[in-house]
Amino acid sequence: MQLQRIAVIGAGTMGNGIAQVCALSGYQVTLVDISDAALDKGLATLSKNLQRQVSKETLTQAQADQAVGHITTSTDYARLADAQLVIEAATENLGLKLKILKQIADNVSDTCVIASNTSSLSITQLAASVSAPDRFIGLHFFNPVPMMALVEVIRGLQTSDATHALALEVSGRLGKTAISAGNRPGFVVNRILVPMINEAILVLQEGLASAEDIDTGMRLGCNQPIGPLALADLIGLDTLLAIMEAFLEGFGDSKYRAAPLLREMVAAGYLGRKAGRGFHSYT
Ligand code: NAD
């Protein structure tokens, strides 16, 4: 089966980026969200990003126009009827995702593959909620999707070899490098990255070095493009705390306990860039 039609659920940060790379790769894309306002906002972001690529001459105007022409939007799940692959990229909330997956499963054909872009939920648990769990998989893109080369392909316990092969093939056609990962909290990249950031917060909390020196140390000593505390501010300290808590619960291992300073910063509302203040100041 030649894959041609992809539906993306959620037109937010990740969904509009996923729709953009799918459309640029020649797929027909149906972008679904709950309101016309959310769809308009997603499409506006997508168009702006394409125009930026045109002005940088990494894309021609004709390619950008063609990509936009490949995208249709809808608030109606019935439009998923002819999708061959659905990529769910809606708000990270288990109850909401289970509801959305039921709506997807009720509307797609019986050959359609369903993927979720979840960062923290169990692919096995999500797969168990659909009628064909063997055709369910995790496709974890990175933010911003058009710029980031990686996608993690996560197999649930039920995922078939054919579904895994299709996910790898689509990732390649989207111009991404795929790595395959098992279904554990944080998959591969966040499992390594987030505890590293938490350790940097512990180093700061112990007074071993200033935030500036910790970031300079990791930039110049490890060739990281951005220091761990600056990265924490970029990701959002509330998001990081939620991930550490999910690791602690998911693995039951105290090595994943969140740094007390991280908790305190979140309690104070010092959430990073979005709050104007985190480990660094952004005023
Ligand atoms: P977001 O809040 O920017 O967008 C979520 C979108 O889902 C919104 O447009 C919202 O209207 C829509 N939505 C809510 N309920 C819906 C429904 N019933 N049907 C259709 N659409 C609905 O969130 P995001 O940052 O794009 O995250 C989306 C997913 O991607 C999450 O699972 C998240 O864990 C994952 N993810 C996020 C990042 C990141 O850096 N933001 C990175 C990798 C993966």
Side-chain angles (χ1 to χ4, degrees), residues 2 70 102 198 213 257 267:
Q2 177 69 23
H70 280 153
K102 180 169 177 358
N198 191 58
D213 281 357
R257 65 196 181 281

Side-chain angles (χ1 to χ4, degrees), residues 219-241:
R219 277 193 299 108
L220 303 187
C222 296
N223 264 354
Q224 293 189 355
I226 175 174
L229 298 175
L231 183 56
D233 286 349
L234 194 68
I235 294 170
L237 303 197
D238 49 343
T239 303
L240 284 172
L241 179 57

Side-chain angles (χ1 to χ4, degrees), residues 9-15 32-35 38 77 88-93 96-97 99-100 103 116-120 140-143:
I9 310 298
T13 310
M14 298 302 288
V32 175
D33 207 304
I34 39 174
S35 67
Y77 277 76
E88 177 280 312
T91 312
E92 187 80 340
N93 173 291
L96 177 68
K97 290 225 196 258
K99 195 184 107 199
I100 290 173
Q103 275 180 288
S116 176
N117 185 47
T118 180
S119 297
S120 66
H140 186 227
F141 291 86
F142 287 75
N143 185 15

Side-chain angles (χ1 to χ4, degrees), residues 3 31 40 109 132 144 150 164 169 173 175 223 226 269 279:
L3 197 99
L31 184 57
D40 290 347
S109 74
L150 184 70
H164 183 231
E169 186 196 317
R173 206 171 132 190
N223 264 354
I226 175 174
F279 295 109

